[in-house]
Amino acid sequence: DGGITQSPKYLFRKEGQNVTLSCEQNLNHDAMYWYRQDPGQGLRLIYYSQIVNDFQKGDIAEGYSVSREKKESFPLTVTSAQKNPTAFYLCASVWAGEKYGYTFGSGTRLTVV
Amino acid sequence: KNEVEQSPQNLTAQEGEFITINCSYSVGISALHWLQQHPGGGIVSLFMLSSGKKKHGRLIATINIQEKHSSLHITASHPRDSAVYICAGTIQGGSEKLVFGKGTKLTVNP
């Protein structure tokens, strides 16, 4: 079955360490997105990519980095520069032109201690 | 002011009740989405609509483009409908970016 796989589901890291969250899709979707969710807030866009080897900053990109070397993969690195990294991170993908709606991953809950 | 506002924030209902969740938006969007998030966190897309009304089982979504308002209705609610329902709009302009409401937490009691 097609879908988005995010791993791991739970991740714990010490303050000051970089950590990479995985997002893989087998839907042949063109565009991929990373969102952050904090309690009581709507999801906010971190980075997005509409084609391979190209990506754009979202509303809260500071302290994060991404790559898009393959169409099916869009990993997110949370760097030590991110001041408040503990959050729930969601990956999503969609066809260009958005004819059929988005597909979301199951999320990664990152806790930095 | 958020670009997408949902009401109510929290909603408790008895099994069988008819439920309405409202969404208003203040930005130009090309489509409106209703999403469902269960306690584990994963999100499922329920509807994507740009005009009129869509129905899937006991769920109905409507949108009024002129008033920039959408509603999600659940008929004959059931405890398994308990979840957070999120309204989101695709920003016009070709990037397919979404802007989200804060969500409505629905609890349906047996």
PDB file of all heavy atoms in Angstrom, chain B residues 27-47:
ATOM      1  N   VAL B  27      -7.602  34.311   4.376  1.00  0.00           N
ATOM      2  CA  VAL B  27      -6.625  34.386   3.287  1.00  0.00           C
ATOM      3  C   VAL B  27      -7.205  33.724   2.038  1.00  0.00           C
ATOM      4  O   VAL B  27      -8.164  32.958   2.123  1.00  0.00           O
ATOM      5  CB  VAL B  27      -5.310  33.677   3.666  1.00  0.00           C
ATOM      6  CG1 VAL B  27      -4.592  34.435   4.747  1.00  0.00           C
ATOM      7  CG2 VAL B  27      -5.566  32.233   4.093  1.00  0.00           C
ATOM      8  N   GLY B  28      -6.577  34.046   0.897  1.00  0.00           N
ATOM      9  CA  GLY B  28      -7.018  33.417  -0.339  1.00  0.00           C
ATOM     10  C   GLY B  28      -6.562  31.972  -0.389  1.00  0.00           C
ATOM     11  O   GLY B  28      -5.379  31.689  -0.228  1.00  0.00           O
ATOM     12  N   ILE B  29      -7.491  31.077  -0.590  1.00  0.00           N
ATOM     13  CA  ILE B  29      -7.151  29.664  -0.651  1.00  0.00           C
ATOM     14  C   ILE B  29      -7.714  29.054  -1.924  1.00  0.00           C
ATOM     15  O   ILE B  29      -8.710  29.533  -2.470  1.00  0.00           O
ATOM     16  CB  ILE B  29      -7.664  28.876   0.576  1.00  0.00           C
ATOM     17  CG1 ILE B  29      -9.189  28.879   0.635  1.00  0.00           C
ATOM     18  CG2 ILE B  29      -7.073  29.418   1.863  1.00  0.00           C
ATOM     19  CD1 ILE B  29      -9.766  27.939   1.689  1.00  0.00           C
ATOM     20  N   SER B  30      -7.062  28.015  -2.372  1.00  0.00           N
ATOM     21  CA  SER B  30      -7.550  27.313  -3.563  1.00  0.00           C
ATOM     22  C   SER B  30      -8.347  26.069  -3.178  1.00  0.00           C
ATOM     23  O   SER B  30      -9.100  25.546  -3.996  1.00  0.00           O
ATOM     24  CB  SER B  30      -6.380  26.916  -4.466  1.00  0.00           C
ATOM     25  OG  SER B  30      -5.459  26.123  -3.756  1.00  0.00           O
ATOM     26  N   ALA B  31      -8.192  25.610  -1.951  1.00  0.00           N
ATOM     27  CA  ALA B  31      -8.958  24.457  -1.484  1.00  0.00           C
ATOM     28  C   ALA B  31      -8.995  24.472   0.042  1.00  0.00           C
ATOM     29  O   ALA B  31      -8.102  25.023   0.689  1.00  0.00           O
ATOM     30  CB  ALA B  31      -8.354  23.146  -1.986  1.00  0.00           C
ATOM     31  N   LEU B  32     -10.013  23.848   0.584  1.00  0.00           N
ATOM     32  CA  LEU B  32     -10.194  23.762   2.033  1.00  0.00           C
ATOM     33  C   LEU B  32     -10.172  22.286   2.408  1.00  0.00           C
ATOM     34  O   LEU B  32     -10.801  21.453   1.734  1.00  0.00           O
ATOM     35  CB  LEU B  32     -11.542  24.400   2.395  1.00  0.00           C
ATOM     36  CG  LEU B  32     -11.927  24.716   3.859  1.00  0.00           C
ATOM     37  CD1 LEU B  32     -12.227  23.461   4.660  1.00  0.00           C
ATOM     38  CD2 LEU B  32     -10.892  25.562   4.539  1.00  0.00           C
ATOM     39  N   HIS B  33      -9.427  21.978   3.458  1.00  0.00           N
ATOM     40  CA  HIS B  33      -9.273  20.588   3.870  1.00  0.00           C
ATOM     41  C   HIS B  33      -9.823  20.386   5.273  1.00  0.00           C
ATOM     42  O   HIS B  33      -9.657  21.251   6.145  1.00  0.00           O
ATOM     43  CB  HIS B  33      -7.795  20.209   3.894  1.00  0.00           C
ATOM     44  CG  HIS B  33      -7.065  20.463   2.611  1.00  0.00           C
ATOM     45  ND1 HIS B  33      -6.790  19.460   1.706  1.00  0.00           N
ATOM     46  CD2 HIS B  33      -6.580  21.600   2.075  1.00  0.00           C
ATOM     47  CE1 HIS B  33      -6.147  19.981   0.679  1.00  0.00           C
ATOM     48  NE2 HIS B  33      -6.014  21.271   0.869  1.00  0.00           N
ATOM     49  N   TRP B  34     -10.447  19.250   5.475  1.00  0.00           N
ATOM     50  CA  TRP B  34     -10.788  18.808   6.826  1.00  0.00           C
ATOM     51  C   TRP B  34      -9.960  17.559   7.108  1.00  0.00           C
ATOM     52  O   TRP B  34      -9.954  16.597   6.330  1.00  0.00           O
ATOM     53  CB  TRP B  34     -12.270  18.504   6.960  1.00  0.00           C
ATOM     54  CG  TRP B  34     -13.098  19.746   7.113  1.00  0.00           C
ATOM     55  CD1 TRP B  34     -13.834  20.376   6.157  1.00  0.00           C
ATOM     56  CD2 TRP B  34     -13.255  20.522   8.307  1.00  0.00           C
ATOM     57  NE1 TRP B  34     -14.435  21.495   6.671  1.00  0.00           N
ATOM     58  CE2 TRP B  34     -14.106  21.607   7.995  1.00  0.00           C
ATOM     59  CE3 TRP B  34     -12.767  20.417   9.621  1.00  0.00           C
ATOM     60  CZ2 TRP B  34     -14.479  22.570   8.935  1.00  0.00           C
ATOM     61  CZ3 TRP B  34     -13.133  21.377  10.538  1.00  0.00           C
ATOM     62  CH2 TRP B  34     -13.985  22.440  10.205  1.00  0.00           C
ATOM     63  N   LEU B  35      -9.281  17.597   8.262  1.00  0.00           N
ATOM     64  CA  LEU B  35      -8.373  16.532   8.653  1.00  0.00           C
ATOM     65  C   LEU B  35      -8.799  15.992  10.007  1.00  0.00           C
ATOM     66  O   LEU B  35      -9.415  16.707  10.804  1.00  0.00           O
ATOM     67  CB  LEU B  35      -6.945  17.072   8.739  1.00  0.00           C
ATOM     68  CG  LEU B  35      -6.442  17.915   7.560  1.00  0.00           C
ATOM     69  CD1 LEU B  35      -5.122  18.578   7.921  1.00  0.00           C
ATOM     70  CD2 LEU B  35      -6.297  17.056   6.318  1.00  0.00           C
ATOM     71  N   GLN B  36      -8.444  14.737  10.257  1.00  0.00           N
ATOM     72  CA  GLN B  36      -8.752  14.104  11.534  1.00  0.00           C
ATOM     73  C   GLN B  36      -7.447  13.620  12.159  1.00  0.00           C
ATOM     74  O   GLN B  36      -6.660  12.932  11.497  1.00  0.00           O
ATOM     75  CB  GLN B  36      -9.705  12.927  11.314  1.00  0.00           C
ATOM     76  CG  GLN B  36     -10.140  12.220  12.581  1.00  0.00           C
ATOM     77  CD  GLN B  36     -10.903  10.947  12.258  1.00  0.00           C
ATOM     78  OE1 GLN B  36     -10.396  10.077  11.542  1.00  0.00           O
ATOM     79  NE2 GLN B  36     -12.120  10.825  12.765  1.00  0.00           N
ATOM     80  N   GLN B  37      -7.243  13.994  13.429  1.00  0.00           N
ATOM     81  CA  GLN B  37      -6.031  13.563  14.127  1.00  0.00           C
ATOM     82  C   GLN B  37      -6.430  12.776  15.366  1.00  0.00           C
ATOM     83  O   GLN B  37      -7.121  13.294  16.250  1.00  0.00           O
ATOM     84  CB  GLN B  37      -5.168  14.765  14.532  1.00  0.00           C
ATOM     85  CG  GLN B  37      -3.837  14.373  15.161  1.00  0.00           C
ATOM     86  CD  GLN B  37      -2.921  15.559  15.390  1.00  0.00           C
ATOM     87  OE1 GLN B  37      -3.370  16.661  15.654  1.00  0.00           O
ATOM     88  NE2 GLN B  37      -1.614  15.336  15.268  1.00  0.00           N
ATOM     89  N   HIS B  38      -5.980  11.526  15.433  1.00  0.00           N
ATOM     90  CA  HIS B  38      -6.276  10.672  16.573  1.00  0.00           C
ATOM     91  C   HIS B  38      -5.188  10.826  17.623  1.00  0.00           C
ATOM     92  O   HIS B  38      -4.119  11.378  17.344  1.00  0.00           O
ATOM     93  CB  HIS B  38      -6.445   9.221  16.111  1.00  0.00           C
ATOM     94  CG  HIS B  38      -7.804   8.956  15.557  1.00  0.00           C
ATOM     95  ND1 HIS B  38      -8.882   8.722  16.367  1.00  0.00           N
ATOM     96  CD2 HIS B  38      -8.272   8.935  14.282  1.00  0.00           C
ATOM     97  CE1 HIS B  38      -9.967   8.539  15.622  1.00  0.00           C
ATOM     98  NE2 HIS B  38      -9.617   8.676  14.350  1.00  0.00           N
ATOM     99  N   PRO B  39      -5.423  10.326  18.839  1.00  0.00           N
ATOM    100  CA  PRO B  39      -4.481  10.550  19.943  1.00  0.00           C
ATOM    101  C   PRO B  39      -3.035  10.166  19.625  1.00  0.00           C
ATOM    102  O   PRO B  39      -2.120  10.769  20.143  1.00  0.00           O
ATOM    103  CB  PRO B  39      -5.068   9.699  21.073  1.00  0.00           C
ATOM    104  CG  PRO B  39      -6.525   9.668  20.794  1.00  0.00           C
ATOM    105  CD  PRO B  39      -6.650   9.639  19.295  1.00  0.00           C
ATOM    106  N   GLY B  40      -2.830   9.180  18.778  1.00  0.00           N
ATOM    107  CA  GLY B  40      -1.457   8.798  18.433  1.00  0.00           C
ATOM    108  C   GLY B  40      -0.734   9.857  17.633  1.00  0.00           C
ATOM    109  O   GLY B  40       0.501   9.844  17.547  1.00  0.00           O
ATOM    110  N   GLY B  41      -1.478  10.767  17.033  1.00  0.00           N
ATOM    111  CA  GLY B  41      -0.872  11.889  16.331  1.00  0.00           C
ATOM    112  C   GLY B  41      -0.993  11.873  14.828  1.00  0.00           C
ATOM    113  O   GLY B  41      -0.960  12.922  14.195  1.00  0.00           O
ATOM    114  N   GLY B  42      -1.137  10.704  14.225  1.00  0.00           N
ATOM    115  CA  GLY B  42      -1.224  10.649  12.779  1.00  0.00           C
ATOM    116  C   GLY B  42      -2.458  11.378  12.274  1.00  0.00           C
ATOM    117  O   GLY B  42      -3.486  11.452  12.948  1.00  0.00           O
ATOM    118  N   ILE B  43      -2.356  11.949  11.099  1.00  0.00           N
ATOM    119  CA  ILE B  43      -3.452  12.738  10.526  1.00  0.00           C
ATOM    120  C   ILE B  43      -3.979  12.044   9.281  1.00  0.00           C
ATOM    121  O   ILE B  43      -3.212  11.554   8.449  1.00  0.00           O
ATOM    122  CB  ILE B  43      -2.960  14.158  10.178  1.00  0.00           C
ATOM    123  CG1 ILE B  43      -2.754  14.966  11.462  1.00  0.00           C
ATOM    124  CG2 ILE B  43      -3.940  14.872   9.259  1.00  0.00           C
ATOM    125  CD1 ILE B  43      -2.255  16.365  11.247  1.00  0.00           C
ATOM    126  N   VAL B  44      -5.302  12.034   9.173  1.00  0.00           N
ATOM    127  CA  VAL B  44      -5.975  11.467   8.005  1.00  0.00           C
ATOM    128  C   VAL B  44      -6.751  12.583   7.320  1.00  0.00           C
ATOM    129  O   VAL B  44      -7.431  13.373   7.981  1.00  0.00           O
ATOM    130  CB  VAL B  44      -6.937  10.331   8.427  1.00  0.00           C
ATOM    131  CG1 VAL B  44      -7.764   9.866   7.239  1.00  0.00           C
ATOM    132  CG2 VAL B  44      -6.157   9.178   9.022  1.00  0.00           C
ATOM    133  N   SER B  45      -6.641  12.645   6.017  1.00  0.00           N
ATOM    134  CA  SER B  45      -7.390  13.636   5.271  1.00  0.00           C
ATOM    135  C   SER B  45      -8.816  13.142   5.071  1.00  0.00           C
ATOM    136  O   SER B  45      -9.033  12.047   4.546  1.00  0.00           O
ATOM    137  CB  SER B  45      -6.718  13.869   3.916  1.00  0.00           C
ATOM    138  OG  SER B  45      -7.442  14.810   3.158  1.00  0.00           O
ATOM    139  N   LEU B  46      -9.811  13.940   5.504  1.00  0.00           N
ATOM    140  CA  LEU B  46     -11.218  13.557   5.374  1.00  0.00           C
ATOM    141  C   LEU B  46     -11.822  14.105   4.077  1.00  0.00           C
ATOM    142  O   LEU B  46     -12.489  13.390   3.344  1.00  0.00           O
ATOM    143  CB  LEU B  46     -12.022  14.086   6.558  1.00  0.00           C
ATOM    144  CG  LEU B  46     -11.637  13.573   7.938  1.00  0.00           C
ATOM    145  CD1 LEU B  46     -12.432  14.306   9.013  1.00  0.00           C
ATOM    146  CD2 LEU B  46     -11.847  12.072   8.031  1.00  0.00           C
ATOM    147  N   PHE B  47     -11.627  15.384   3.864  1.00  0.00           N
ATOM    148  CA  PHE B  47     -12.203  16.052   2.689  1.00  0.00           C
ATOM    149  C   PHE B  47     -11.244  17.091   2.158  1.00  0.00           C
ATOM    150  O   PHE B  47     -10.506  17.721   2.916  1.00  0.00           O
ATOM    151  CB  PHE B  47     -13.509  16.791   3.045  1.00  0.00           C
ATOM    152  CG  PHE B  47     -14.640  15.927   3.470  1.00  0.00           C
ATOM    153  CD1 PHE B  47     -14.987  15.815   4.804  1.00  0.00           C
ATOM    154  CD2 PHE B  47     -15.380  15.221   2.521  1.00  0.00           C
ATOM    155  CE1 PHE B  47     -16.050  15.023   5.198  1.00  0.00           C
ATOM    156  CE2 PHE B  47     -16.446  14.428   2.901  1.00  0.00           C
ATOM    157  CZ  PHE B  47     -16.782  14.329   4.250  1.00  0.00           C
TER     158      PHE B  47
END
